[in-house]
Amino acid sequence: MYKKNIRYAITLLVIFLYSGIIFGQKESLFSKEMISEIETLIEDGDIPGIAIGIVKGNHKEIKTLGYQTTNNDKEITNHTLFELGSTTKAYTALAVLKLVEEKKIDLDKNVSDYFPWFIVTFEEKETPITIKQLLHHTSGIPWETLSLIPEDRSEKALRNTVDKINGIELNTAPGTSYEYATINYDILGLLIEKVSKMPYDVYVENEVLFPLELKDTYVGSDEVKDRMSIGNKISFFKARPYEAPIYKGNEPAGYIVSDIDDMTKWLQYQMGIKNNQFQDIITKSHTRDQSVKPHGLASYAYGWEVSLRGDDAVYHGGMNPNFSSFVGFRKRENVGIVLLANANSDYTQILGDRLLKLAAGDKINSLELQASQDKSFSVVSILIGIYLLGVLFFIGYILYDILKGRRSFEKVTLRKVKDLLVSLLAFIPFLAGIYLLPTAMANFTWESALVWTSFSFAAVALLAVTGMLLSYIALIIATIFPEKNEYKRVAPKVIVLSVISGLANMVVIVLITSSFQSNMELKYMLFYFALAASTYLLMRKIVQVRMVYVTKNIIYDLRISMIDKVFLTSFEKFEKIDRGRVYSVMDDDIGTIGQSADTFVSITTNIITAFGAFTYMAILNMWITLVTVLMIGVITSIYYVVSNRAKGLFDIARETKTVYLELLNGMIDGYKELSINKKKKENYKEDLKYSTEEFRDKSTKANIKFINAFLVGESLLIVLLGVTAFGIPEFFPHVQDGLVLSFVVILLYLIGPINGIFNAIPQLIHLQIAWKRIQNLLNDITLETEKDVIPNTINVPTILESFQADSLEFEYGNGFSVGPINLKVKRGEVLFIIGGNGSGKTTLSRLLTGLYTPQSGEVLINGERVSTRGLGEYYSAVFNPFYLFQKIYAEDINLDENKIKELLEVLQLQEKVNIEDGKFSTISLSGGQLKRLALLQCYLEDKPIYLFDEWAADQDPVFRKYFYRELLPKMKEQGKIIIAISHDDQYFDVADKILKLDFGKGEYVKEYELINDKNFLQI
């Protein structure tokens, strides 16, 4: 809201300026361009209220904008007081120079000459500091001593502050280099008290402010709080009211308060426009220190910075925890600017510098600003907050499952306790990293960091610790109330560890790029780098090892699930599916799906790394990041379009592999048929070679297309690097070289994750194809309804009284049909089914055994209807063609060794095979011997119904006779029902009933009728 009011005020200001011109008033010192800058930067800088004074020659103009609070209830006026921050130092320096003029202070004397108790060391040796070195910030006192200034409002606050650095180790030898340390001027304040025998505030107010008639300028704000603007701290992207601690011991360096009227007058004194008794020493205070090399394009004077950019500018900025200011002037153009703001915004000094240039008639370039620390910490806080919401949701999900009974308490084992302790110990280095953060960043304590940094900084630390705590709570709950589903149990850990791995990788990038401009001590930089790198590698290892188990288990579960679905379908549907298709789905496609877990983890890690890197880049510079992301989006689109062309080829290649496997299966099953004819074998080999070549060619073309796509992507990434390195300085000329270098390093680091994402695209396409093929196979394998599924237990007696088929009918899609068939076989009866080739015998046998489901009719056992899927439980069968498994899978079979030995001798197989642990010792036998072994298995299974489909067709005459004359009568005597498909007319007399099929139609005939049936005899 306050931003809108500021824009409203600026609009009125523009109207006022133009009305002044129209009515003959002198032109405003605030040009249109200056107004535009003010409007833009106070909004971008989140400044609630600001007062601006411009001095040009003998003219001055003051404007106040915004409000003293974010509630917009009190406007900034000319008499609103602001803390000056470090622009206070010019007042303290003036007081010191006044005492120098009075011969009370000697700039070349040591501090210890005035305070014998004050000792500092350099390289562990006591070293003196001169008063001049304090004024010029060349004392060697570290910058971070700012954090040692105690919260104190006592009369001894200055002494207490100086005591904090007594005995400190200097960063550099005094007088050798510049290092800004605000506490230098606190020592000078104590010196003023020493030589003047007055408190610092009393001396400055009486000896400096009063002679200069600065009636609304005060040392400290205790006595004028009612006139003070509310101070604000920039936190979470906006200014927020903040009452900073009282640092009376830092008043000489940053806590003079003033209004815009007095500060404009102070500016006039500095410029020499307004005469005063301190003019000579004011002019002297602008003399830069030439004893050390400049810092950047400036040198320090006495409470002032002196520009070395050739513009003759003298200036200083000020920043307190909740206020900021800027004072600057250029003697050559005789212009000056003063800004007072009620927020600790970096934009105050930037705005002051740009307004000074505009006031002097300089052109200003477009502004490219690096993101503030608040913006960085705010983004990190939001990301951690999102993670916390995810953890809370997960905890809620677990509790909900517990309430619903989907999770139950599991005994806490020693292994679980050990794992929990190891996880707890793993938090220690991260907690240490959080604790050391203020020290590492600025050698601050947490107490001082909370004052001088934004709320978002504290939020990051608090949220991070909270995240660890909640994560550990979630881990404990998930451990003692585990998820029953393995993948749901593993998924949260894998996801969290993948996220942590990606974030750690991002931190590595940030540390590498920030190291070029960071002031962080090497030991801390190495600590955080080692922590981030080891976290990334360790999390990656844990995830990848876990994914090995998960992947293999997924493949196992998918295969078992597919097997379950296959075994739940009917033979009628299953026989229509190509073998090669089943092989390729069960092996290749399910394997591809299983590997997808690792692919998704890799993609997740790479995407999080890329997202984190782009977020960091956006914090550094939004516009350049947007251009970079746009270019990468174009690269990704091109890569996708190019690679998508390969999808069709991969699909064809997979289908070609199915054909190849089908041919391979045919080669194995039909090798004897191929081997008897060289030409036939050569032709089949050509088909197999063609299928293999087609698979090779399609796969090669598809992979080449992906290589082309990858190279396109790689080339464009290199182009992007070139554009970043050469284009940013051209199109964004005011971007610092360090920022360009950071972007280049980040993009170089991102090539790996981006290529990882690109490389995952072929895998995703393989995954899509595999998933489609699996679903297609599942659709073709129509699962039986629950009522059709065979019950787990069926009580099958060894003897049945009757087996009956009533009006069974079945029709193929080609028009051929079988039925209606009516038959009834009683206990101890033999039914022969006869007929020519294609008459429907095999179809009928499959209907009777439940392998086919009739379109109409029913089957009755002992007078009761039996479901189609349950019929097979009553049968022992030898089909034609048949398959004999080496293991005997039937349950409750009689494995009496004496009986087995007797049967093997009867079948003349005692020298060929035996049964051990429910397995045949071998099935490498002749066709006739295998059929005898299958017959043996029928005996062992001891079912009430036997079905033999042309069992004797490939037996020698002796065993054929034995089968019909000995075995079948014995089965009859045992009360078994025997259904045999036979062409052996010489044994038709064995049958009690003969059902003849002709074009699917059946009729009972007698054995003597068949002897006179010439058509049958010709079959």
Side-chain angles (χ1 to χ4, degrees), residues 366-634:
S366 58
L367 186 63
E368 295 291 339
L369 293 173
Q370 294 189 28
S372 64
Q373 283 191 343
D374 170 65
K375 187 175 180 181
S376 304
F377 290 125
S378 296
V379 170
V380 174
S381 296
I382 291 170
L383 294 175
I384 298 176
I386 293 172
Y387 171 78
L388 286 178
L389 291 175
V391 175
L392 288 172
F393 175 81
F394 179 62
I395 292 175
Y397 175 76
I398 294 176
L399 296 177
Y400 179 78
D401 275 357
I402 294 172
L403 291 175
K404 289 293 183 180
R406 291 194 287 264
R407 290 176 184 249
S408 57
F409 178 79
E410 191 174 275
K411 183 180 178 181
V412 179
T413 62
L414 185 62
R415 172 66 183 273
K416 288 183 178 180
V417 173
K418 179 182 176 182
D419 289 344
L420 288 173
L421 286 175
V422 170
S423 299
L424 185 61
L425 292 174
F427 287 123
I428 292 176
F430 295 98
L431 292 171
I434 293 172
Y435 177 76
L436 292 172
L437 201 56
T439 306
M441 292 179 65
N443 272 325
F444 271 32
T445 63
W446 265 105
E447 182 181 7
S448 56
L450 293 175
V451 173
W452 288 95
T453 60
S454 66
F455 299 141
S456 56
F457 175 75
V460 166
L462 181 61
L463 289 171
V465 173
T466 305
M468 293 182 198
L469 178 62
L470 286 178
S471 298
Y472 195 66
I473 291 173
L475 178 63
I476 293 174
I477 298 174
T479 300
I480 60 178
F481 291 95
E483 168 65 52
K484 296 175 183 178
N485 182 287
E486 179 189 358
Y487 305 117
K488 288 184 179 180
R489 186 168 63 249
V490 172
K493 295 179 184 177
V494 170
I495 291 171
V496 169
L497 294 180
S498 297
V499 169
I500 293 173
S501 177
L503 292 176
N505 201 9
M506 181 197 74
V507 172
V508 170
I509 298 173
V510 172
L511 288 172
I512 291 173
T513 54
S514 62
S515 65
F516 299 117
Q517 300 174 331
S518 175
N519 293 320
M520 186 182 293
E521 289 186 49
L522 180 61
K523 62 181 180 181
Y524 294 118
M525 185 70 75
L526 291 176
F527 168 74
Y528 286 110
F529 180 82
L531 181 61
S534 60
T535 299
Y536 166 69
L537 294 173
L538 181 61
M539 296 301 104
R540 193 69 183 267
K541 178 182 182 296
I542 293 173
V543 168
Q544 288 185 332
V545 170
R546 174 66 64 178
M547 290 316 299
V548 169
Y549 290 104
V550 170
T551 296
K552 300 306 178 186
N553 286 338
I554 287 175
I555 293 172
Y556 168 80
D557 288 344
L558 282 172
R559 284 179 177 158
I560 295 301
S561 176
M562 181 65 75
I563 289 169
D564 288 340
K565 289 178 172 61
V566 167
F567 276 88
L568 282 173
T569 195
S570 65
F571 171 79
E572 177 185 346
K573 296 180 176 67
F574 184 75
E575 70 171 345
K576 298 174 183 177
I577 301 171
D578 293 335
R579 289 187 182 186
R581 186 177 171 200
V582 175
Y583 293 153
S584 62
V585 168
M586 296 290 284
D587 187 31
D588 294 338
D589 294 328
I590 288 179
T592 300
I593 296 293
Q595 296 297 333
S596 66
D598 194 40
T599 300
F600 282 126
V601 168
S602 177
I603 290 174
T604 300
T605 303
N606 288 327
I607 287 177
I608 291 172
T609 300
F611 173 78
F614 287 131
T615 301
Y616 177 59
M617 290 169 66
I619 290 171
L620 295 177
N621 189 292
M622 177 60 74
W623 287 109
I624 297 177
T625 303
L626 287 175
V627 172
T628 305
V629 170
L630 179 63
M631 292 183 67
I632 289 179
V634 171

Side-chain angles (χ1 to χ4, degrees), residues 773-989:
R773 286 170 55 80
I774 291 173
Q775 294 306 308
N776 288 341
L777 181 60
L778 288 175
N779 290 335
D780 290 343
I781 302 175
T782 307
L783 302 184
E784 302 300 304
T785 60
E786 187 175 342
K787 66 179 182 179
D788 292 327
V789 175
I790 304 170
N792 289 331
T793 56
I794 295 180
N795 186 18
V796 178
T798 56
I799 302 297
L800 298 178
E801 294 302 323
S802 66
F803 175 88
Q804 182 177 347
D806 285 347
S807 303
L808 289 184
E809 289 189 82
F810 183 86
E811 183 176 353
Y812 290 96
N814 59 7
F816 178 77
S817 63
V818 174
I821 299 295
N822 294 285
L823 61 83
K824 185 174 183 180
V825 190
K826 296 180 181 179
R827 171 180 178 174
E829 288 187 341
V830 177
L831 169 66
F832 278 9
I833 299 174
I834 64 174
N837 292 331
S839 61
K841 301 188 300 299
T842 299
T843 301
L844 179 57
S845 70
R846 291 176 178 179
L847 286 169
L848 296 178
T849 54
L851 295 178
Y852 282 2
T853 301
Q855 274 95 30
S856 64
E858 60 182 358
V859 175
L860 305 174
I861 292 180
N862 292 340
E864 296 184 1
R865 184 181 182 277
V866 179
S867 69
T868 300
R869 291 303 300 275
L871 276 175
E873 300 299 307
Y874 295 88
Y875 280 88
S876 286
V878 181
F879 293 103
N880 185 31
F882 75 101
Y883 186 86
L884 183 67
F885 297 95
Q886 187 158 5
K887 181 178 179 180
I888 302 173
Y889 287 98
E891 295 182 1
D892 301 325
I893 62 174
N894 185 0
L895 294 178
D896 180 77
E897 290 185 7
N898 293 327
K899 184 177 180 181
I900 292 172
K901 183 178 180 181
E902 179 185 346
L903 290 171
L904 287 173
E905 288 177 354
V906 168
L907 297 171
Q908 295 186 9
L909 294 173
Q910 71 276 15
E911 302 295 332
K912 301 287 185 180
V913 65
N914 55 51
I915 298 176
E916 299 173 356
D917 299 325
K919 294 181 180 180
F920 297 118
S921 59
T922 182
I923 55 174
S924 299
L925 304 170
S926 68
Q929 290 170 336
L930 283 175
K931 272 198 174 181
R932 279 181 255 161
L933 206 55
L935 183 61
L936 169 65
Q937 184 168 305
C938 287
Y939 263 107
L940 296 176
E941 290 175 357
D942 197 25
K943 297 291 185 176
I945 306 174
Y946 290 146
L947 184 138
F948 303 113
D949 188 352
E950 300 188 30
W951 183 90
D954 52 0
Q955 298 296 322
D956 59 46
V958 174
F959 268 103
R960 183 176 302 183
K961 180 179 179 180
Y962 182 77
F963 173 73
Y964 285 111
R965 298 302 181 192
E966 300 291 335
L967 291 180
L968 292 186
K970 285 183 180 179
M971 294 177 186
K972 287 182 62 174
E973 290 175 5
Q974 294 171 0
K976 304 296 183 180
I977 295 174
I978 301 103
I979 300 173
I981 298 173
S982 176
H983 286 239
D984 296 324
D985 55 315
Q986 67 269 37
Y987 298 111
F988 283 177
D989 61 290

Side-chain angles (χ1 to χ4, degrees), residues 272-283:
I273 294 172
K274 210 173 187 59
N275 293 325
N276 64 89
Q277 66 187 65
F278 303 132
Q279 194 57 56
D280 289 341
I281 55 176
I282 285 176
T283 301

